[in-house]
Amino acid sequence: MPRPAKHVFVCTQNRPAGHPRGSCTNSGCGQVMNEFMSQIQARNLFDKIALTNTGCLGPCGFGSSVLVYPDGVMYGKVKPTDVATIIDQHLLGGEPVVSLQVPAEVW
Ligand code: FES
């Protein structure tokens, strides 16, 4: 298996209704994960991009949270419609999508 250039972690944490921290599941992270999977498959990007669902990444108030390594870029409030932009501009183009990054005081 070739080492991927980028590794994308999508928070798929769930918490009970009414929990003070909420969760990315409540923010629709499942659809974000599915969109990453669909686009990676459709574009045959398996050798370039690794994708992992994960538990809480920290900024629960900014779900759906997506973390990209090795860059250490945290995206927040990601919607399925943002996935193509993240792939094109950042994962393939090398330029993080500043408008989707969580505030500097959060990450
Ligand atoms: S629940 Fe997703 S970042 Fe905490």
Side-chain angles (χ1 to χ4, degrees):
M1 174 183 170
R3 183 185 301 184
K6 305 290 185 189
H7 198 150
V8 178
F9 296 88
V10 178
C11 175
T12 53
Q13 179 77 49
N14 194 11
R15 293 193 175 97
H19 191 285
R21 294 185 69 181
S23 74
C24 286
T25 291
N26 291 336
S27 302
C29 63
Q31 289 88 350
V32 172
M33 185 72 188
N34 285 341
E35 185 64 19
F36 270 111
M37 283 194 288
S38 295
Q39 294 215 19
I40 289 169
Q41 181 174 342
R43 302 193 207 187
N44 194 23
L45 297 173
F46 297 111
D47 288 351
K48 296 187 171 113
I49 301 170
L51 178 66
T52 302
N53 60 335
T54 183
C56 181
L57 292 168
C60 313
F62 290 85
S64 297
S65 301
V66 173
L67 179 60
V68 177
Y69 276 121
D71 311 320
V73 170
M74 180 79 78
Y75 293 115
K77 299 186 184 296
V78 176
K79 304 297 180 210
T81 50
D82 298 320
V83 169
T85 303
I86 292 172
I87 291 175
D88 290 333
Q89 184 176 320
H90 184 180
L91 305 182
L92 299 178
E95 292 292 329
V97 185
V98 174
S99 62
L100 291 175
Q101 288 181 246
V102 299
E105 65 270 20
V106 173
W107 176 264

